[in-house]
Amino acid sequence: MKNIMGRKIGMTQIFKEDGSVVPVTVVEAGPLVVVQKKTVEIDGYNAIQVGFQDIKEQRINKPMKGHFNKGNVAYKKYLKEFKVENPDEYEIGQEIKADVFAEGDLVDVIGVSKGKGTQGVIKRHGFGRGRESHGSKFHRAPGGMSAGTYPGRVFKGHRMMGRMGNERVTVQNLEVVRVDVDKNLILIKGAIPGPKKGIVTIKETVKK
């Protein structure tokens, strides 16, 4: 399965040859560096660990320094594992660039959504509101929670006010519109999770 990490730059639009306009999200994808290989014999599964974005030496602790020095690779800010069928196809220090994907590929994008703090049920769940007239006394309240006598409690999972956003989100079946290998850019049709400069993972879609 093809995978890559990237940083969300923002949204724009591009024109196709037929003149149609396509909204796209620009992702700075890689380059990633292979930091470690994991095998079934030693770790119980096949995977590679990759690093993304350089970081100053004074910003990482001694255990992480030893981890990078063991593979003789540059210090990286973000580490992630990708499962692979054959780790021997990769070498420690090898770079993985945006060209793992091509125009027309379908991908899933994983990111952390924007945090919106504590919100009420209207903004968080799309509840309807009450009348705004003076005597109604019901404007943005959540309404009934449960029956009184039985069950006499609020069921777990009931939609109520609370923290909104700041959670892992996967958007599936997005199309890769363009790949710029020289600038390490992947242009993906539509919106993807997270704020600008947020870290995202792009992988081959599981639902074709």
Side-chain angles (χ1 to χ4, degrees):
M1 179 173 284
K2 297 183 288 187
N3 301 275
I4 199 167
M5 285 176 71
R7 178 182 297 279
K8 179 178 176 179
I9 296 177
M11 292 196 70
T12 184
Q13 58 187 22
I14 60 174
F15 291 90
K16 289 189 173 182
E17 294 179 358
D18 60 1
S20 60
V21 64
V22 181
V24 295
T25 303
V26 183
V27 179
E28 180 188 356
L32 306 183
V33 175
V34 178
V35 179
Q36 184 184 10
K37 295 193 290 185
K38 301 201 171 185
T39 59
V40 173
E41 294 77 22
I42 299 174
D43 304 285
Y45 61 98
N46 288 330
I48 57 171
Q49 186 186 70
V50 295
F52 176 59
Q53 189 179 333
D54 291 332
I55 188 174
K56 293 180 180 178
E57 182 179 351
Q58 61 264 33
R59 293 191 180 273
I60 61 174
N61 56 30
K62 285 185 178 180
M64 289 308 299
K65 281 183 184 178
H67 183 60
F68 288 113
N69 291 339
K70 183 178 180 182
N72 195 25
V73 295
Y75 304 131
K76 298 293 180 180
K77 186 173 183 180
Y78 302 101
L79 287 176
K80 193 169 186 65
E81 283 188 9
F82 293 136
K83 287 192 174 181
V84 295
E85 290 184 2
N86 185 12
D88 293 330
E89 294 178 357
Y90 300 87
E91 297 296 331
I92 293 177
Q94 176 184 337
E95 282 195 341
I96 300 174
K97 297 186 176 181
D99 57 4
V100 294
F101 293 103
E103 183 177 333
D105 286 350
L106 294 177
V107 295
D108 296 341
V109 182
I110 305 167
V112 177
S113 61
K114 289 182 180 179
K116 295 179 169 59
T118 302
Q119 300 296 336
V121 290
I122 292 178
K123 182 177 177 72
R124 191 180 185 205
H125 299 297
F127 280 20
R129 56 170 297 137
R131 292 162 55 187
E132 294 190 51
S133 54
H134 176 67
S136 81
K137 298 183 180 179
F138 178 78
H139 305 300
R140 299 180 68 94
M145 299 288 177
S146 171
T149 306
Y150 180 81
R153 62 188 176 87
V154 179
F155 284 124
K156 182 181 284 190
H158 190 75
R159 294 181 298 170
M160 297 173 69
M161 65 291 292
R163 190 185 78 175
M164 182 177 177
N166 192 33
E167 51 191 17
R168 178 185 163 110
V169 177
T170 302
V171 179
Q172 295 181 321
N173 267 333
L174 297 177
E175 180 187 350
V176 175
V177 178
R178 191 175 296 170
V179 177
D180 189 332
V181 180
D182 296 331
K183 297 181 180 178
N184 292 311
L185 298 179
I186 295 179
L187 277 60
I188 300 172
K189 184 177 180 180
I192 65 174
K196 291 179 182 178
K197 299 184 180 180
I199 300 298
V200 296
T201 302
I202 305 170
K203 66 178 187 177
E204 190 178 9
T205 187
V206 294
K207 295 180 179 178
K208 294 186 179 179

